Amino acid sequence: MHTVTIALPSAPYEVVIADGLMDHVGREARLLFPQGVRCAVVTDRTVAPLYADRVEASLRDAGWTPHRCTVPAGEPSKSFAGLEDVTRSMIRAGLDRRALVIALGGGVVGDLAGFAASVFFRGIPYLGIPTTILSMVDSSVGGKTGINTPEGKNLIGTFHQPRRVLIDPESAASLPDSAYAEGFAEIIKHAAIRDAGMLDDIARFAKSRVGLSPLIARNVAIKGTIVAADEFETEGLRALLNFGHTLGHAVEACAGYGTLLHGEAISIGMRAALWLSERHAGLSPQESLTILNALRAFDLPTILPQSISDDAILEKMGRDKKFDQGALRFVLLPKLGDAVVSQSVTLDDVRAVLGHLRSPLA
Ligand SMILES: NC(=O)c1ccc[n+]([C@@H]2O[C@H](COP(=O)([O-])OP(=O)(O)OC[C@H]3O[C@@H](n4cnc5c(N)ncnc54)[C@H](O)[C@@H]3O)[C@@H](O)[C@H]2O)c1
Ligand SMILES: [Zn+2]
């Protein structure tokens, strides 16, 4: 078992990581809420049949009365309609301000359930049980909750920290290969910006999903340290987590949401950021290769699809206001494990890197 403390000055909390933890959720919740009785288990239609019965059995054993709210799997549930479904179902079930929310699923469920908890009866506590690699190492830590609107992703939301995050790495066993691999894009991102040593034996997890706990803990600690130092994204530190995301987000959107998985688009974005780091920050080609090889080990894409034009990407970046008076804010690496926010990347550099992204890896 690993425990990582997220040392937020206002509300520190623990992330517990252990194989089989899914069967001990009730006990963990009881430790935090000795008097608690009612809770909502918010989950989606894919995760529910896999894990919800186990989680609810453990809750009942510990004296809780769970109420299940199941939303359709996928991004559309992160919406006002999804929020309405979850919160009204909780009201109809008689839950009130003494209730606890348990978010059981990937980042979609985490963001939606966390947001629901933050507004239900003006705010009740929640626990996260992230079940995708991406949500274990990224979205479940940091307290950003929210939903999408047709105008854009994550535009409506709150900062609402979970009271505890319970990670059962064995739940990664049921992930489709592509969802498993895309989570490693964020792990490789963490390695690139903070902890290059993590890459030493990362490739073995492309072949085996056993023994993930220490790796997950290492990643939670990286994200946790950054968010604890910059809880509300005011210090600029959290921006370092955007390594590969400046271009990656544009690639993701231009491909059409759902065509390229987020982590796949970020993989392409990281290749771009490495190339720019070599030219603007002093990263060596050898160091770039270390990251590219890690992406390759997980079969993550590094070539910009032909269907996406340079103009579409530039237009998207312009619309996202990524250009600040002609200069772009890019997270670059002076060396592996060390990231800075740079304003030295020009529009011409972006055009050049888009050309580079059309070619296969050497
Ligand atoms: N709050 C934050 O700080 C933050 C950070 C990064 C991403 N996000 C958000 O996270 C979301 C993406 O998260 P995600 O990639 O986990 O997507 P997701 O929640 O949609 O999960 C991906 C798919 O995997 C399924 N699934 C989940 N766990 C499974 C398991 N153990 N076995 C089998 N199938 C499983 C889900 O049902 C879904 O179909 C996006 O909405 C993004 O905006 C939030
Ligand atoms: Zn990301």
Side-chain angles (χ1 to χ4, degrees), residues 138 186 245 262 266:
D138 188 350
E186 304 289 359
H245 283 59
H262 172 76
I266 286 344

Side-chain angles (χ1 to χ4, degrees), residues 134 138 185-186 189 241-243 245 249 252 262-263 266:
L134 181 139
D138 188 350
E186 304 289 359
K189 176 192 81 178
L241 294 166
N242 285 333
F243 179 68
H245 283 59
H249 275 148
E252 185 179 9
H262 172 76
I266 286 344

Side-chain angles (χ1 to χ4, degrees), residues 13-329:
Y13 56 94
E14 288 182 343
V15 180
V16 183
I17 303 139
D19 286 338
L21 194 56
M22 211 66 97
D23 296 315
H24 303 286
V25 172
R27 185 192 68 196
E28 292 282 335
R30 180 58 66 215
L31 287 173
L32 290 171
F33 305 97
Q35 314 294 332
V37 178
R38 306 296 310 275
C39 61
V41 176
V42 181
T43 186
D44 73 29
R45 284 191 197 147
T46 302
V47 176
L50 294 168
Y51 303 112
D53 285 349
R54 275 173 67 190
V55 167
E56 288 173 1
S58 117
L59 285 162
R60 281 193 201 91
D61 282 350
W64 292 87
T65 306
H67 165 68
R68 190 183 301 183
C69 307
T70 309
V71 297
E75 199 69 27
S77 286
K78 246 179 77 173
S79 60
F80 277 113
L83 177 72
E84 182 174 0
D85 276 358
V86 168
T87 49
R88 289 184 61 194
S89 152
M90 287 167 59
I91 295 166
R92 286 195 300 271
L95 301 187
D96 60 21
R97 71 168 59 81
R98 291 163 299 182
L100 167 70
V101 168
I102 296 177
L104 172 66
V108 163
V109 162
D111 282 9
L112 173 65
F115 187 45
S118 76
V119 293
F120 190 76
F121 280 77
R122 298 193 179 75
I124 62 172
Y126 77 106
L127 303 184
I129 310 179
T131 58
T132 60
I133 297 290
L134 181 139
S135 57
M136 292 176 194
V137 302
D138 188 350
S139 62
S140 68
V141 176
K144 281 191 189 177
T145 80
I147 56 174
N148 309 320
T149 71
E151 290 74 22
K153 281 194 65 174
N154 300 322
L155 299 181
I156 307 292
T158 55
F159 283 103
H160 189 52
Q161 301 291 343
R163 291 292 292 274
R164 186 164 287 190
V165 179
L166 308 174
I167 300 181
D168 183 345
E170 282 180 345
S171 58
S174 53
L175 284 170
D177 289 346
S178 56
Y180 178 75
E182 75 152 334
F184 276 80
E186 304 289 359
I187 289 179
I188 294 164
K189 176 192 81 178
H190 285 156
I193 65 169
R194 273 287 193 268
D195 184 0
M198 197 157 55
L199 297 173
D200 291 348
D201 67 343
I202 202 163
R204 77 182 161 98
F205 292 109
K207 305 205 167 43
S208 162
R209 301 184 186 185
V210 175
L212 281 163
S213 284
L215 181 71
I216 304 284
R218 204 161 162 171
N219 278 275
V220 167
I222 292 171
K223 172 116 195 226
T225 305
I226 292 176
V227 300
D230 186 15
E231 179 173 3
F232 299 110
E233 209 161 6
T234 48
E235 307 294 328
L237 208 60
R238 255 176 122 135
L240 300 182
L241 294 166
N242 285 333
F243 179 68
H245 283 59
T246 307
L247 210 121
H249 275 148
V251 171
E252 185 179 9
C254 290
Y257 281 109
T259 312
L260 273 179
L261 294 174
H262 172 76
E264 294 173 341
I266 286 344
S267 175
I268 296 169
M270 281 196 277
R271 182 183 178 198
L274 292 170
W275 192 84
L276 292 166
S277 295
E278 287 178 33
R279 276 144 195 86
H280 289 276
L283 191 73
S284 72
Q286 197 51 43
E287 289 173 299
S288 281
L289 197 59
T290 307
I291 303 283
L292 293 171
N293 283 340
L295 297 173
R296 219 185 322 223
F298 288 87
D299 276 333
L300 285 161
T302 45
I303 300 176
L304 190 60
Q306 285 304 333
S307 57
I308 305 175
S309 70
D310 291 5
D311 286 347
I313 301 259
L314 292 167
E315 207 244 330
K316 178 71 193 142
M317 291 174 83
R319 233 185 303 141
D320 286 354
K321 304 200 174 42
K322 293 263 162 71
F323 299 98
D324 184 8
Q325 295 165 356
L328 275 164
R329 286 167 64 83

